[in-house]
């Protein structure tokens, strides 16, 4: 009975019913479109952030190895953990080379891509950005040695590039990195160099021979 009355009303007011159906369809399409556009914008923002800053979700600073071991115990089993340590700034003419020691996981999470060679594993190996190598010595190739003066922060937390405060370290070029955002942010006055974690420890505590 109710169905019969509804059908009669639908037929009687078919124009109104058709308009309602069309409105519902259009509303559904509009809501779906807004949802798709929102998801696309969100994905674009995430991609841009990852491209600029890396793919990591958490940074923990100023922990020693024992403390880091304790932190690892409370992290999920599927957590990807990369390690790094700062180790001063090298100078080549008027260019500052920010040096960090890191493992391969950290390098990948921070968008450090190899163009040639491999990531440093030994204490005396280094990777440099491609544009830096062209600035330092365009003939420099994988396996060659290079000596860099390295400067460290003073007690006041600033870098002093005064002559005589540097520590000369000799490295073997192990890999060539794609240019990083460091060059863009500094206007071409600073670049990035990557050491192994053992190499960074050695540079920080007992610089490599070479000067």
């Amino acid at each position: 009975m109710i169905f019969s009355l509804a059908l009669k009303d639908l037929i009687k007011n078919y124009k109104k019913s058709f308009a309602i159906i069309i409105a519902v369809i259009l509303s559904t399409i509009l809501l779906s479109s807004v949802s798709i556009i929102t998801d696309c914008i969100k994905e674009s923002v995430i991609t841009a952030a990852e491209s600029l800053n890396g793919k990591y979700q958490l940074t923990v600073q100023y922990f020693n190895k024992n403390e880091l071991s304790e932190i690892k115990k409370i992290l999920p089993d599927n957590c990807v953990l990369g390690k790094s340590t700062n180790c001063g700034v090298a100078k080549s003419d008027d260019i500052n080379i920010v040096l960090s020691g890191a493992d391969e996981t950290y390098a990948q999470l921070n968008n450090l891509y190899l163009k040639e060679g491999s990531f440093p594993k030994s204490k005396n190996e280094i990777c440099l950005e491609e544009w830096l190598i062209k600035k330092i010595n365009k003939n420099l190739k994988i396996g060659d040695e290079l000596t860099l003066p390295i400067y460290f922060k003073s007690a006041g937390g600033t870098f002093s590039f005064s002559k005589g405060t540097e520590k000369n370290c000799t490295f073997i070029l192990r890999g060539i990195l794609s240019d990083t955002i460091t060059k863009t942010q500094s206007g071409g006055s600073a670049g990035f160099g990557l050491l192994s974690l053992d190499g960074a420890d050695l540079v920080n505590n007992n610089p490599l021979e070479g000067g």
Side-chain angles (χ1 to χ4, degrees):
M1 183 68 177
I2 296 175
F3 177 76
S4 177
L5 290 173
L7 184 61
K8 288 180 180 180
D9 185 70
L10 184 64
I11 295 171
K12 183 180 179 181
N13 302 290
Y14 72 92
K15 290 184 179 179
K16 180 180 178 182
S17 300
F18 183 74
I20 292 173
I21 292 170
I22 294 298
V24 171
I25 292 173
L26 290 176
S27 297
T28 303
I29 293 173
L30 179 61
L31 289 173
S32 298
S33 299
V34 170
S35 178
I36 292 171
I37 292 171
T38 301
D39 288 342
C40 289
I41 293 173
K42 180 181 177 181
E43 190 64 31
S44 297
V45 170
I46 292 173
T47 300
E50 288 182 346
S51 177
L52 185 66
N53 299 309
K55 301 178 180 66
Y56 57 86
Q57 295 179 323
L58 173 68
T59 300
V60 181
Q61 295 181 311
Y62 310 120
F63 283 86
N64 60 40
K65 292 181 179 178
N66 292 331
E67 291 169 331
L68 189 59
S69 297
E70 292 300 314
I71 291 173
K72 289 172 68 175
K73 293 178 182 178
I74 63 174
L75 293 175
D77 292 337
N78 62 348
C79 180
V80 178
L81 181 65
K83 293 177 286 185
S84 74
T85 182
N86 296 325
C87 48
V89 173
K91 292 282 286 185
S92 179
D93 296 328
D94 57 345
I95 297 175
N96 295 335
I97 305 172
V98 180
L99 297 177
S100 287
D103 58 19
E104 194 166 334
T105 301
Y106 178 89
Q108 292 171 348
L109 289 173
N110 285 270
N111 301 329
L112 299 176
Y113 301 114
L114 281 169
K115 293 200 71 173
E116 188 179 343
S118 60
F119 288 110
K121 290 182 173 59
S122 299
K123 294 180 178 180
N124 64 336
E125 295 179 343
I126 191 171
C127 287
L128 293 173
E129 293 178 79
E130 186 176 35
W131 77 275
L132 278 176
I133 293 173
K134 292 177 181 178
K135 282 280 189 179
I136 295 170
N137 181 354
K138 63 181 181 181
N139 296 317
L140 198 64
K141 59 184 184 297
I142 302 294
D144 286 351
E145 287 190 352
L146 71 155
T147 299
L148 296 170
I150 300 178
Y151 300 82
F152 300 89
K153 283 185 178 181
S154 64
T158 58
F159 283 98
S160 172
F161 296 107
S162 303
K163 188 173 179 58
T165 62
E166 74 277 8
K167 295 179 179 179
N168 293 314
C169 299
T170 299
F171 301 98
I172 295 173
L173 183 64
R174 184 53 59 209
I176 300 174
L177 299 170
S178 297
D179 295 345
T180 70
I181 194 172
T182 305
K183 177 186 178 183
T184 306
Q185 289 178 332
S186 67
S189 64
F192 181 79
L194 182 68
L195 310 178
S196 67
L197 287 170
D198 288 341
D201 286 343
L202 189 59
V203 167
N204 286 335
N205 300 305
N206 184 24
L208 301 165
E209 294 181 1

